Amino acid sequence: MKRFLAFLLAAASAFAAHAQAPQPPEIAAKGYLLLDMTANKVLAEREADQPNDPASLTKLMTAYLVFNALKEKRLTLDQTLNVSKRAWDERKEDASLMFIDTTMTPKVDELLRGMIVQSGNDASVALAEGVGGTVEQFVAMMNKQAQAWGLKNTSFRNVTGMTEPGHKSSARDMATIAANLIRDFPDYYPYYSVREYTYNKIKQGNRNLLLGRDPSVDGMKTGYTKDAGYCLIASAQREFPNGKRRLLSVVMGTASKEARATESQKLLNWGYSAFDAVRLFDKDAAIAKAQVWKGTSAEAKLGAAQAVYVAVPRGEGANLKTQVERTDPLIAPLAKGQKVGVLKVTTASGVAVAEVPLVVQEQVPLAGIFGRAWDAIRLWIK
């Protein structure tokens, strides 16, 4: 009887959790994922870990490494780069092009616009050679970065996204690349909102149709090959009473340019309407206090490294519960930023919403020899 009651309680809990989870719309794609970047939570997904041909979504990783080279001052936006025969040869593949040739010395800024706005394969090769020396070395850098992020379904063979054996990624991995690019390089992200670009008297429009349809969409990247189908990563930021909220949608393998825009828009609109982003704590706010042993201070303030947002089904924000779980006892020295616990956030019915690392907000050095000895005795008694 007890086992039967336990089964009923577990089933009721699972049903309640399922009942309160908003159901995403039908999305016509091989795979998709919708990420709430503000709350760092996946709101919906299907076949998100299935490796696929990523087409020109590949260029997000190409851009990430170029942006990193700019940040580290190994490259400048005004710097000119030579156009190699290899970059020129990209036009043999009937691919998207910026239309540069070996007589030109375009600036890095121009090449970035050519790669991002016009999706130029020739611009991608020129930038890769400018940063890595060779395309092969740059591809090795791409795979090294993918490994550093723990991307399990991604393997790069080129910098353009042209179909090649072993060149693959997934919706989840692509979302990770895109989210890191937005977070790490906010000064360069505006390249992705540029609607059109003219180089060498050839004007080309951005293939991201949502830039002209949804004013909250400010990037990111399209992709297409015969094997990949039509792909789109779209990022939108909308204003809400408690602040700005950014969603990132990834659709892979849709049937047309129109379909990838339509399916992405459906995901974004659903994410904004079905979920609330609730700000629980501001950055640097003290979430909890904990007793410290053998330190110059008897307690430590614990908080989160960033403002704490959680994504919950619409209307559930008022019913959230929080619980602090931390290491005990806390023994000095404690460094600022040291993780010592987690803040668990659940709904009223006990469904897990988020786990946020708790860190020490101010360092606590070791106490003197007598203070340490006294606390050692107290701990022994305790």
Side-chain angles (χ1 to χ4, degrees):
M1 187 64 179
K2 288 183 179 179
R3 289 183 179 179
F4 180 66
L5 288 174
F7 170 78
L8 287 179
L9 288 172
S13 177
F15 176 79
H18 178 75
Q20 72 172 354
Q23 296 302 302
E26 289 294 325
I27 301 297
K30 287 181 182 177
Y32 72 82
L33 183 142
L34 180 64
L35 172 67
D36 187 326
M37 283 188 59
T38 304
N40 195 29
K41 181 180 177 65
V42 174
L43 304 182
E45 63 178 275
R46 193 188 74 228
E47 300 295 336
D49 295 310
Q50 178 63 40
N52 288 298
D53 184 337
S56 284
L57 301 186
T58 299
K59 295 183 177 88
L60 288 176
M61 182 64 96
T62 307
Y64 186 93
L65 293 180
V66 176
F67 293 155
N68 193 56
L70 288 166
K71 179 181 179 181
E72 294 178 349
K73 302 191 184 307
R74 292 182 284 116
L75 210 62
T76 68
L77 289 176
D78 289 332
Q79 181 177 339
T80 58
L81 296 178
N82 293 324
V83 178
S84 68
K85 184 178 181 298
R86 184 166 186 172
W88 162 262
D89 283 345
E90 286 297 319
R91 63 186 58 208
K92 294 180 180 179
E93 300 290 338
D94 191 29
S96 300
L97 297 168
M98 180 186 179
F99 296 103
I100 51 178
D101 64 47
T102 55
T103 68
M104 299 175 177
T105 53
K107 294 180 180 180
V108 170
D109 175 71
E110 294 171 325
L111 289 168
L112 281 169
R113 294 174 189 274
M115 179 178 71
I116 293 170
V117 183
Q118 300 174 334
S119 200
N121 286 7
D122 47 1
S124 303
V125 170
L127 285 167
E129 290 175 333
V131 174
T134 67
V135 171
E136 288 74 19
Q137 180 59 31
F138 191 89
V139 170
M141 293 165 62
M142 295 169 71
N143 285 314
K144 183 177 180 180
Q145 184 62 67
Q147 292 169 7
W149 285 331
L151 307 187
K152 300 183 182 303
N153 298 299
T154 295
S155 179
F156 295 114
R157 296 292 182 268
N158 59 64
V159 302
T160 62
M162 294 300 289
T163 300
E164 185 175 339
H167 189 86
K168 62 182 181 178
S169 192
S170 65
R172 192 184 313 280
D173 286 0
M174 275 293 151
T176 299
I177 296 170
N180 277 293
L181 189 153
I182 294 172
R183 291 187 183 113
D184 292 350
F185 303 111
D187 291 342
Y188 298 126
Y189 176 64
Y191 277 110
Y192 290 93
S193 66
V194 177
R195 297 281 298 279
E196 62 182 25
Y197 180 56
T198 301
Y199 185 80
N200 197 25
K201 299 181 181 180
I202 301 173
K203 180 164 67 173
Q204 298 185 65
N206 195 314
R207 294 160 176 80
N208 183 357
L209 298 180
L210 293 186
L211 288 174
R213 297 181 182 180
D214 184 342
S216 70
V217 172
D218 53 14
M220 290 198 57
K221 191 70 188 74
T222 62
Y224 169 77
T225 64
K226 182 179 179 181
D227 289 341
Y230 291 87
C231 309
L232 174 61
I233 298 179
S235 181
Q237 184 169 260
R238 298 183 186 178
E239 289 276 3
F240 286 86
N242 64 343
K244 295 179 180 179
R245 183 179 173 206
R246 181 173 292 281
L247 299 187
L248 183 76
S249 67
V250 181
V251 295
M252 303 184 74
T254 68
S256 67
K257 294 178 183 178
E258 181 62 35
R260 69 187 176 191
T262 299
E263 301 307 292
S264 296
Q265 187 75 77
K266 283 163 60 176
L267 274 174
L268 292 171
N269 287 343
W270 173 79
Y272 280 119
S273 63
F275 288 85
D276 291 326
V278 180
R279 183 168 57 190
L280 294 179
F281 298 97
D282 291 328
K283 181 181 179 180
D284 297 328
I287 295 175
K289 294 181 180 180
Q291 184 177 11
V292 178
W293 302 85
K294 301 184 181 182
T296 56
S297 175
E299 66 178 17
K301 294 180 180 179
L302 310 182
Q306 301 294 333
V308 179
Y309 285 84
V310 294
V312 295
R314 177 60 57 90
E316 289 288 325
N319 302 319
L320 294 178
K321 296 181 179 180
T322 60
Q323 178 183 353
V324 172
E325 294 186 1
R326 59 176 177 81
T327 305
D328 193 37
L330 287 182
I331 299 177
L334 299 175
K336 182 178 180 179
Q338 179 179 336
K339 180 184 174 183
V340 293
V342 295
L343 175 73
K344 292 189 174 183
V345 185
T346 61
T347 63
S349 59
V351 177
V353 173
E355 284 194 10
V356 180
L358 287 180
V359 299
V360 177
Q361 292 187 313
E362 297 176 359
Q363 69 171 344
V364 181
L366 271 174
I369 187 170
F370 294 110
R372 297 200 306 272
W374 174 243
D375 275 358
I377 295 171
R378 293 172 65 203
L379 279 170
W380 181 74
I381 297 173
K382 182 180 178 181

